[in-house]
Amino acid sequence: MSIRIGILGYGNLGRGVECAVRQNPDMELKAVFTRRNPADVTILTETAKVCPVSEAENWKDELDVLILCGGSATDLPVQTPRYAEFFNVVDSFDTHARIPEHFANVDAAAKKGGRTAIISVGWDPGMFSLNRMYANAILPEGKDYTFWGRGVSQGHSDAVRRIAGVKDARQYTIPVESALAAVRAGENPELSTRQKHTRECFVVAEEGADKARIEEEIKTMPNYFADYDTVVHFISEEELKRDHSGIPHGGLVLRSGSTGWERENRHLIEYSLKLDSNPEFTASVIIAYARAAYRLSQEGAAGCKTVFDIAPAYLCAKSGAELRASLL
Amino acid sequence: MSIRIGILGYGNLGRGVECAVRQNPDMELKAVFTRRNPADVTILTETAKVCPVSEAENWKDELDVLILCGGSATDLPVQTPRYAEFFNVVDSFDTHARIPEHFANVDAAAKKGGRTAIISVGWDPGMFSLNRMYANAILPEGKDYTFWGRGVSQGHSDAVRRIAGVKDARQYTIPVESALAAVRAGENPELSTRQKHTRECFVVAEEGADKARIEEEIKTMPNYFADYDTVVHFISEEELKRDHSGIPHGGLVLRSGSTGWERENRHLIEYSLKLDSNPEFTASVIIAYARAAYRLSQEGAAGCKTVFDIAPAYLCAKSGAELRASLL
């Protein structure tokens, strides 16, 4: 029998989850829950239903795992604790500073309902966190570096769009090559915000807008751009659509450390991702952890977990013996 | 109280484990067991004892984890099952084809004694296996690539040393850059043995030896070199000692895969290691898994496990809450 999956929230991430389910023969998408009018939402999976979010709880015996695809700012802090009482759930909550609080809320709900919840799944938090943790465990004396990009930052793109005279915009975060080279060379540099990443903006200005003023507003915007070297390009709406409609992202996690009686030997651990589609990759990680949530729940686990708490074998459809024979 | 560690076998790996224990404040090296005369073995840790291997079993209540540092060909197939009955053990058994058999033997012994054993720990098998598994779980439709090097292959160096007229030798395995570039470009190439790695040998010939014959014997040696492009350099004993006395290694695990309803988006996951000392890095991974073996045993686990079966949080001295706050 397949693992029966539900999706709550059908934006880029929800669609990514739908595609990921299709790539995993042991899973089946049963339902998509939306806040929009279900009649207005067209999904790709012919065999799944589109339902109003208000009906989600009626499905509690029909789904093995519910994937929560809302945003971290306002959706997930409410949705994950709410649905963790009735379903095994996975979310991609990514507000790093609020993870402890979110964990506590979800843990209480999942324990109350006897369900398994896995939060903060994706690539950062997610695979990047795992790689930071493994590398720290292996090389206790060393230094961590995380670089993001080259990729689209939704938050920074939105910030540019809010400037008067900007019709549309796309912002790319880019690691500084020389900083990366210094890390890889084992120099253990201390890097400022400016030294690690640059920002590149592609902006469509409204007709007659003052481009010099827009550029100045972007480059001096506190928190978002002021601490970075930022390049601004003004392009046409057609160019934006043609060249910048994808949602690529990626990045690197490095740990540079030393071993030996006198710390005489150096080592570099590097993990990197180059992603054509940020939401589809995030969804693919989520679906692997949905398998884990289902299996843990079958074993009687209850409560909230993160990627740190899940033995890797739970993610793979193969048995332990198959994994040992083929991948170890 | 510290986790009390024993080392069985004091070669390069055993010494690496000793150094790694020193970098982990929650651990303490108590004893080194050797087949040599203990009086002839000088260790670095002043507070630990050197004992004959015949006395190891007397220590079964004095050690939390015994690290087995013998070779995979003849030592570990006997030692790991033998000691898994009396101790929590970790080994670095690396004969990939014989892992299922080794697992079964160790599992039976560990279950009999109520102990936790973790086998095949290091970087390949070990961290490379983990990365293959995570990447396969995330991108079910894709292609795996593992490259080794640039690094010293002990087995190939030994093979060259066995040729008549060779006084000493060091062999490096080197990934072919163009193959790696094709993988990173998402071309999913089919790569032959020759296309993936080249081999470079530094050879000290005995006085008067026929160098052309030695070079020919190396390049045509079945299994070891015949399927590769091999470069042979003749150097002096002094040069070998000066430039090639380290044991560096490393490599890369890549998975290139696609997602999307029509598989329209491509992704690349890459994990790489650059290691000054192969045995010290292997030892550092082993010591992190020794912590896991100890904790699992405290929880009442019994039997054999691999890196696939261990939740990452067990490797780190930090608590779950600390990990979530600092590394997630």
Side-chain angles (χ1 to χ4, degrees):
Chain A
M1 215 188 71
S2 299
I3 303 173
R4 301 165 298 170
I5 302 289
I7 292 171
L8 197 146
Y10 194 68
N12 285 327
L13 183 61
R15 243 185 316 269
V17 170
E18 181 179 25
C19 295
V21 168
R22 191 195 201 193
Q23 289 188 297
N24 287 277
D26 61 337
M27 298 194 179
E28 191 186 350
L29 181 66
K30 303 297 277 187
V32 170
F33 303 98
T34 178
R35 284 183 288 212
R36 290 175 274 168
N37 178 357
D40 297 341
V41 174
T42 308
I43 65 171
L44 301 162
T45 310
E46 290 177 10
T47 53
K49 287 193 180 166
V50 181
C51 308
V53 70
S54 58
E55 292 177 12
E57 282 159 45
N58 304 343
W59 285 71
K60 75 187 181 63
D61 299 322
E62 313 299 322
L63 300 175
D64 294 310
V65 189
L66 179 65
I67 314 295
L68 302 171
C69 297
S72 294
T74 56
D75 297 331
L76 297 177
V78 176
Q79 290 174 349
T80 315
R82 172 167 180 179
Y83 293 106
E85 191 180 334
F86 305 105
F87 298 93
N88 301 314
V89 298
V90 182
D91 81 14
S92 61
F93 184 78
D94 66 359
T95 311
H96 292 259
R98 296 185 60 194
I99 286 175
E101 172 194 346
H102 188 57
F103 182 91
N105 294 339
V106 175
D107 192 49
K111 281 184 174 146
K112 188 174 170 198
R115 303 284 185 158
T116 297
I118 311 180
I119 62 162
S120 301
V121 177
W123 59 275
D124 196 1
M127 297 312 296
F128 273 20
S129 323
L130 270 181
N131 276 281
R132 283 188 286 262
M133 215 225 75
Y134 276 117
N136 271 268
I138 295 168
L139 295 175
E141 299 184 49
K143 208 160 152 43
D144 290 311
Y145 296 90
T146 301
F147 291 88
W148 295 277
R150 186 177 190 260
V152 172
S153 164
Q154 216 56 62
H156 286 76
S157 299
D158 289 345
V160 175
R161 281 189 209 105
R162 285 193 293 267
I163 294 175
V166 171
K167 196 167 176 188
D168 203 353
R170 193 60 55 104
Q171 194 270 181
Y172 294 89
T173 306
I174 306 164
V176 174
E177 274 302 326
S178 59
L180 196 47
V183 172
R184 285 179 175 149
E187 294 169 18
N188 285 5
E190 292 292 337
L191 297 169
S192 67
T193 298
R194 191 178 301 273
Q195 286 169 326
K196 286 185 71 183
H197 296 95
T198 54
R199 299 196 176 277
E200 189 172 14
C201 304
F202 294 87
V203 180
V204 180
E206 281 169 5
E207 224 179 289
D210 179 349
K211 292 182 179 173
R213 192 256 311 153
I214 291 173
E215 180 164 345
E216 182 65 15
E217 277 195 46
I218 294 173
K219 290 185 171 176
T220 57
M221 194 186 296
N223 302 317
Y224 286 88
F225 293 98
D227 297 335
Y228 299 84
D229 290 335
T230 302
V231 179
V232 178
H233 308 279
F234 288 93
I235 61 174
S236 69
E237 202 162 5
E238 293 66 41
E239 286 171 309
L240 189 82
K241 198 167 172 168
R242 185 190 68 207
D243 302 333
H244 304 284
S245 60
I247 320 175
H249 218 314
L252 308 99
V253 171
L254 304 103
R255 187 166 174 88
S256 170
S258 53
T259 65
W261 198 250
E262 306 291 348
R263 299 173 184 75
E264 62 272 28
N265 288 311
R266 291 194 308 199
H267 307 279
L268 183 73
I269 304 173
E270 178 172 340
Y271 179 79
S272 78
L273 295 173
K274 287 197 197 86
L275 314 176
D276 271 2
S277 165
N278 183 353
E280 286 181 10
F281 188 83
T282 300
S284 298
V285 180
I286 285 174
I287 273 304
Y289 279 92
R291 184 179 289 116
Y294 169 70
R295 291 176 168 180
L296 285 163
S297 167
Q298 293 286 102
E299 292 178 13
C304 187
K305 295 180 184 294
T306 76
V307 294
F308 295 153
D309 308 308
I310 313 280
Y314 282 100
L315 307 181
C316 233
K318 291 181 178 175
S319 74
E322 285 173 313
L323 289 174
R324 286 190 293 275
S326 65
L327 292 172
L328 194 62
Chain B
M1 214 187 73
S2 299
I3 302 173
R4 300 164 300 170
I5 303 289
I7 291 171
L8 196 147
Y10 194 69
N12 285 329
L13 183 61
R15 242 183 318 269
V17 170
E18 181 178 24
C19 295
V21 169
R22 190 196 202 194
Q23 290 188 296
N24 287 276
D26 60 337
M27 299 193 178
E28 192 186 349
L29 181 66
K30 303 297 279 188
V32 169
F33 303 98
T34 177
R35 283 183 289 213
R36 290 175 271 168
N37 179 357
D40 297 340
V41 175
T42 308
I43 64 172
L44 302 162
T45 309
E46 290 178 8
T47 52
K49 286 193 181 167
V50 181
C51 307
V53 71
S54 58
E55 292 177 12
E57 282 158 45
N58 304 344
W59 285 71
K60 74 187 180 66
D61 299 321
E62 313 298 323
L63 300 175
D64 294 309
V65 189
L66 180 64
I67 313 295
L68 301 171
C69 298
S72 294
T74 56
D75 297 331
L76 297 177
V78 177
Q79 290 173 350
T80 315
R82 172 167 181 179
Y83 293 106
E85 191 180 335
F86 305 106
F87 298 93
N88 301 316
V89 298
V90 182
D91 82 14
S92 61
F93 185 78
D94 67 358
T95 312
H96 291 259
R98 296 186 61 194
I99 286 174
E101 172 193 346
H102 188 57
F103 182 92
N105 294 338
V106 176
D107 193 49
K111 282 183 175 148
K112 189 175 170 196
R115 302 285 185 158
T116 297
I118 311 179
I119 62 162
S120 300
V121 177
W123 58 275
D124 197 0
M127 296 312 297
F128 273 20
S129 323
L130 270 182
N131 276 280
R132 284 188 285 264
M133 215 226 74
Y134 276 117
N136 271 269
I138 295 168
L139 294 175
E141 298 183 50
K143 209 161 153 39
D144 291 311
Y145 296 90
T146 300
F147 292 88
W148 295 275
R150 187 179 191 255
V152 173
S153 163
Q154 216 55 61
H156 287 78
S157 299
D158 289 346
V160 174
R161 281 189 209 105
R162 286 192 293 266
I163 294 175
V166 171
K167 199 167 175 186
D168 202 353
R170 193 60 53 104
Q171 195 269 183
Y172 294 88
T173 306
I174 306 164
V176 174
E177 274 302 326
S178 58
L180 195 47
V183 173
R184 285 179 175 148
E187 294 169 18
N188 285 5
E190 292 292 336
L191 297 169
S192 68
T193 299
R194 190 178 302 273
Q195 287 170 323
K196 284 185 71 184
H197 296 95
T198 54
R199 299 195 176 279
E200 189 171 16
C201 303
F202 294 87
V203 180
V204 181
E206 280 168 5
E207 223 178 291
D210 179 349
K211 292 181 180 174
R213 192 255 312 151
I214 291 173
E215 181 165 343
E216 182 64 14
E217 278 197 45
I218 294 173
K219 290 184 170 177
T220 57
M221 192 185 298
N223 303 317
Y224 286 88
F225 293 98
D227 297 335
Y228 298 84
D229 290 335
T230 301
V231 179
V232 178
H233 309 279
F234 289 94
I235 61 173
S236 69
E237 201 161 7
E238 292 67 39
E239 286 171 308
L240 190 80
K241 197 166 173 169
R242 187 191 65 206
D243 303 331
H244 305 284
S245 61
I247 319 175
H249 219 313
L252 309 99
V253 171
L254 305 103
R255 186 165 175 87
S256 171
S258 53
T259 64
W261 198 249
E262 305 291 348
R263 299 171 185 76
E264 62 271 28
N265 288 311
R266 292 193 308 200
H267 307 279
L268 182 74
I269 303 174
E270 178 172 340
Y271 179 80
S272 79
L273 295 173
K274 288 199 196 86
L275 314 176
D276 272 2
S277 165
N278 183 352
E280 286 181 10
F281 188 82
T282 300
S284 298
V285 180
I286 286 174
I287 273 304
Y289 279 93
R291 183 179 291 118
Y294 169 70
R295 291 176 169 182
L296 285 163
S297 167
Q298 293 284 103
E299 292 178 10
C304 187
K305 296 179 183 295
T306 76
V307 294
F308 295 153
D309 308 309
I310 313 280
Y314 282 101
L315 307 180
C316 234
K318 291 180 178 176
S319 73
E322 284 174 314
L323 290 174
R324 286 190 292 276
S326 65
L327 293 172
L328 194 61

